[in-house]
Amino acid sequence: MSELSVPSDLRLRFSRFGQAEQVLARLDDAIDQIHELNLAGAGDTSDEIAQVYRSKVDGPTANLKTLVGTVRAVLLMTDDNGQQADNTFDQGESDAGNRGRRW
């Protein structure tokens, strides 16, 4: 029978995904700022140059924002699920110890 081994730093390892999500949250804010600067810099959209510029910049900016949001969601899910897994392992260890003492 194989033995289940849980690293002692499992909670810390999973918390790093939450830390990475926080970095991406700041990146998401920066993307918003860049977008606002692009809008201000392009000026009036009735201007042909502004229209060409916006046609090249708006789509990729939106795609980048979507990508960052998706990665943030995955990191948060991994952090949350990892913390739950660690809690489950802790509870299992506690339950096993209690049952062993009663036996």
Side-chain angles (χ1 to χ4, degrees), residues 4 6 84-101:
L4 180 62
V6 179
Q84 290 175 13
D86 187 59
N87 291 340
T88 300
F89 288 130
D90 285 349
Q91 187 61 50
E93 188 176 318
S94 176
D95 289 349
N98 289 336
R99 290 176 194 259
R101 284 189 286 282

Side-chain angles (χ1 to χ4, degrees), residues 14-66:
F14 278 111
S15 73
R16 291 187 178 128
F17 290 100
Q19 293 168 0
E21 185 279 331
Q22 291 171 3
V23 171
L24 286 180
R26 291 191 302 272
L27 176 58
D28 195 45
D29 290 342
I31 292 168
D32 287 339
Q33 291 173 349
I34 290 167
H35 181 66
E36 290 301 318
L37 291 170
N38 276 331
L39 292 176
D44 185 8
T45 55
S46 64
D47 177 86
E48 184 179 345
I49 294 172
Q51 290 175 0
V52 170
Y53 178 78
R54 295 276 307 274
S55 73
K56 302 291 185 190
V57 173
D58 287 352
T61 301
N63 291 341
L64 180 59
K65 186 153 179 71
T66 299

Side-chain angles (χ1 to χ4, degrees), residues 59-93:
T61 301
N63 291 341
L64 180 59
K65 186 153 179 71
T66 299
L67 175 63
V68 169
T70 301
V71 174
R72 283 182 65 196
V74 170
L75 290 172
L76 276 176
M77 181 180 61
T78 303
D79 180 34
D80 290 344
N81 291 342
Q83 300 303 325
Q84 290 175 13
D86 187 59
N87 291 340
T88 300
F89 288 130
D90 285 349
Q91 187 61 50
E93 188 176 318

